[in-house]
Amino acid sequence: MAQDGNQARENKMGTMPVGRLLAGMALPMMASMLFQALYNVVDSFWVAKLGQDALNAVSLAFPLQNLMFSIGGGTGVGMNALLSRSLGEKKQDMADKAANTGIFLYACSAVAFALIGLFLSRPFFMLLTDNPGILNYGVSYTSICLGLCFGVFGQLCFERLLQSTGRTVLSMASQITGALINMILDPILILGLFGAPKLEVAGAAVATIIGQIIAACLALYLNLSHNPDININIKFIRWDMMTAKEIYHVGLPSILMMSIGSVMNFFLNRILISFTEAATAVFGIYFKLQSFVFMPVFGLNNGMVPIISYNYGAAKPERLKQTIRLATISAIAIMTCGFLIFQFFPGALMALFKPEEGSTTSYQEMLSIGVVALRIISCCFPLAGFCIVAGSVCQAIGNPLYSLIVSICRQLLALLPSAWLLAQTGNLDLVWFAFVIAEGVSLILSVIFLRNTMKMADASFRARGAL
């Protein structure tokens, strides 16, 4: 009877049929990620109405914003992996420590980025451009988004706690709420509708932080009222050396891996702006558009990682491997759909960012560059689907260094050098092929590292008598 009682109390990640479990956990996250992608595009859609300088300012701000999301996202990966594994091993105290220490780490990150936003926004933009229009727009946008970043860090933290215990529908509710508020406020604050002040690019930043703060408050409430698997207590929200070490053992490589994207973006923008400012605007548009393809895959990953971590901790190899197979097939299918859309409708996608009539922006230049760029870069989408899942599997099982190596090789050792060399030809169209070259390198390494990780997992299962 005791055994039956334990089975009844076990988290659904160890008992529910894998296909239904992955769908139940991943689909809400995929939906919320699509809303996230939609609000990113809506943001740039309204900013583009102000002209190319405004669009460029938001695009060039991406490395700093991405760095912020890298810290938050990587900390969440480590916190989730430790928390889910602890629940699988029936270690409630360790799960609670992971949650409360994670909250403390997010608070520290928010303070650090607020200082960066307030004091380093202008020096950052001065490294990229001397165009006063881009500079002023960019400083205004970045100082607000980073200076008031406690909303986004709170949102990331409390949504990750919901995800780590399988409550992805509640996490989706928080994300969608924040995105909807942002989308509603964007045109009102950017263009000054309904009697509101016309804040232009600063309005996009204000709309963003309001949405994030409200989403963070909602996610905290949902954790306190609907997440009995963890116990959040203000007395225990403090530094704990051993718990922080466990979180960053998995999370730090993920932070570094995502932060590398900021480095890549910064230097690639410098390469592109040497051709024309329209090229950096197109690169920014690409990142907004590709989020519609990549965000659902990241949502799939967010649903997959707790399942893998839980079943690895609970020594259930068949459930773990079935989860990986289903996630890989789903990711490649999603990315293939994105590839087809980018191939057949690049002009329609670029038209979403057409400026107002009478703008000094050369839309035709952006369009001609963008159509070629979208078609070339999207060729690597199906490969990227496999690589994203493979990297997350390595992180969830405890080999985060593999994902870091892949990211460094892809973005710093393959993409940037390839882009620089191709730029020496003087042909901007060739620069976009650097993405395809980089994804080929990523694929080779991902296959090798995934095989090594699965061999390590099998050895662990054999040692525990599960194989």
Side-chain angles (χ1 to χ4, degrees), residues 56-80:
N56 257 321
V58 174
S59 299
L60 293 177
F62 178 79
L64 280 180
Q65 287 184 295
N66 186 65
L67 184 61
M68 181 170 62
F69 281 102
S70 298
I71 300 292
T75 301
V77 168
M79 180 178 67
N80 274 18

Side-chain angles (χ1 to χ4, degrees), residues 19-38:
R20 186 152 57 93
L21 175 64
L22 181 61
M25 292 189 63
L27 286 176
M29 291 190 185
M30 293 167 70
S32 60
M33 288 289 190
L34 278 173
F35 264 85
Q36 194 81 6
L38 179 62

